[in-house]
Amino acid sequence: MNIQEYIASGILESYWAGELSDEEMQKVDAMAVRYPEIAAELDELRNVLINLANSQAGAGDSTVLDFVTSTIRDEEKEAFLRAIEEPETQIKKITVIPRWITAAAVLLFLSIAFNVYFFLRMQSAKDDVRRIAAENSKMAYKIESTQQELDYAELRVAHFLNDDNIHVRLDGSELSPKSFANVFWNKNTNAVFISVDNLPEPPKGHQYQLWAIKPGQAPIDAGIFDHNQLVQELKVIKGEVQAFAITLEEQGGTPVATVDQTYARGFLKKS
């Protein structure tokens, strides 16, 4: 006889559930006397079910209680309800585990399984919400960046196409060869606009300043500006201007240009 197959057949669970006939239960008892492995398995199953009954000693949810009592025999209901009220006393009297304990165990396992399932689904839903929020945030950032680029392009085009503006391209110096910017000087209002195309991040406590260069004069302050912003309007510069230049100065600007910190310069085209 294969002992493991006998144990795996489920007959021992049926034994404790009270589902076997008297003759079948006597046969199980005889097998337990003959084979220690079967006796040990019976004891383990009994302990598991009694521990389960102890852990569920409270009356529990009324819905579950109604369902369980509706599925067991009428003669078992009274014992079941007494066991709920006085679990320790009743468990000591039980020699054969009644069917209600098996039903309660099944309901408990199903409840745990559903709780785990819905918990995992809830976690998955939360992850989806966080992912969608992150994607929306990235999309909003891209839209904002794209809108800024469009605004920047529109402003540049407007200044390029304005016949009243004199366009001066400022190219990088030896100090910063890759730097460049565009300056627009309005002939009618003398207003100066700068379009920053490429300037390195200034050191902390410093910013860029634009200068107008006139014949025989020291550079004239045309205003400080933010190298990260779009087209910016600076100061009004009147008179004969030959060139514009950008220098790196301390935060807030200076009345005298630091010539050796020139990052870009450009000359007006002769008409």
Side-chain angles (χ1 to χ4, degrees):
M1 176 180 179
N2 191 318
I3 301 300
Q4 294 305 317
E5 287 184 1
Y6 184 83
I7 292 174
S9 67
I11 193 170
L12 302 185
E13 288 82 356
S14 298
Y15 174 92
W16 284 123
E19 296 178 342
L20 302 181
S21 64
D22 291 342
E23 182 180 354
E24 290 173 330
M25 293 185 71
Q26 290 174 6
K27 287 182 179 180
V28 172
D29 289 334
M31 293 292 290
V33 172
R34 184 175 179 183
Y35 299 101
E37 298 95 328
I38 295 176
E41 186 69 16
L42 278 173
D43 288 338
E44 184 175 352
L45 285 172
R46 184 177 186 277
N47 290 334
V48 168
L49 291 174
I50 290 177
N51 288 336
L52 177 62
N54 275 323
S55 68
Q56 300 298 315
D61 185 83
S62 60
T63 304
V64 175
L65 182 62
D66 293 341
F67 177 78
V68 173
T69 56
S70 69
T71 60
I72 59 179
R73 295 196 304 268
D74 292 338
E75 61 268 22
E76 293 174 332
K77 290 183 180 179
E78 184 178 352
F80 172 45
L81 295 174
R82 284 201 307 272
I84 292 175
E85 296 172 358
E86 302 175 349
E88 294 182 359
T89 302
Q90 294 301 324
I91 289 171
K92 291 178 181 177
K93 295 179 182 179
I94 296 175
T95 56
V96 176
I97 305 300
R99 190 174 303 167
W100 69 265
I101 291 184
T102 303
V106 171
L107 285 175
L108 174 64
F109 294 144
L110 287 176
S111 174
I112 292 174
F114 276 112
N115 285 338
V116 171
Y117 171 76
F118 284 113
F119 174 77
L120 294 176
R121 288 293 300 273
M122 182 181 68
Q123 290 298 110
S124 177
K126 287 183 177 179
D127 290 341
D128 289 342
V129 169
R130 284 193 289 266
R131 176 180 53 79
I132 292 171
E135 290 176 354
N136 288 344
S137 178
K138 290 180 181 178
M139 182 63 70
Y141 176 77
K142 289 181 179 179
I143 291 174
E144 183 179 359
S145 298
T146 302
Q147 186 61 51
Q148 287 180 349
E149 291 175 359
L150 288 174
D151 293 342
Y152 179 73
E154 288 178 0
L155 283 171
R156 280 174 55 103
V157 169
H159 283 287
F160 272 116
L161 296 180
N162 190 338
D163 292 336
D164 293 333
N165 285 343
I166 299 173
H167 170 230
V168 184
R169 178 185 168 93
L170 279 61
D171 293 311
S173 64
E174 294 180 359
L175 183 63
S176 182
K178 294 184 178 180
S179 294
F180 74 96
N182 287 279
V183 169
F184 303 93
W185 183 34
N186 191 285
K187 294 180 292 185
N188 296 328
T189 64
N190 297 310
V192 175
F193 301 85
I194 186 168
S195 168
V196 180
D197 295 278
N198 186 38
L199 283 172
E201 187 74 23
K204 186 177 181 180
H206 292 74
Q207 67 182 131
Y208 293 106
Q209 188 167 353
L210 181 68
W211 303 90
I213 311 299
K214 294 184 177 181
Q217 297 184 33
I220 300 170
D221 174 27
I224 55 176
F225 58 90
D226 186 340
H227 71 291
N228 285 320
Q229 288 188 7
L230 304 179
V231 176
Q232 301 163 69
E233 183 175 0
L234 303 183
K235 294 184 176 181
V236 171
I237 300 295
K238 299 180 179 179
E240 184 182 355
V241 177
Q242 290 182 328
F244 287 97
I246 296 172
T247 62
L248 180 66
E249 306 292 349
E250 291 186 359
Q251 190 77 26
T254 176
V256 179
T258 307
V259 179
D260 61 354
Q261 289 296 307
T262 300
Y263 274 66
R265 66 171 68 88
F267 293 88
L268 275 70
K269 294 179 179 179
K270 294 181 179 181
S271 55

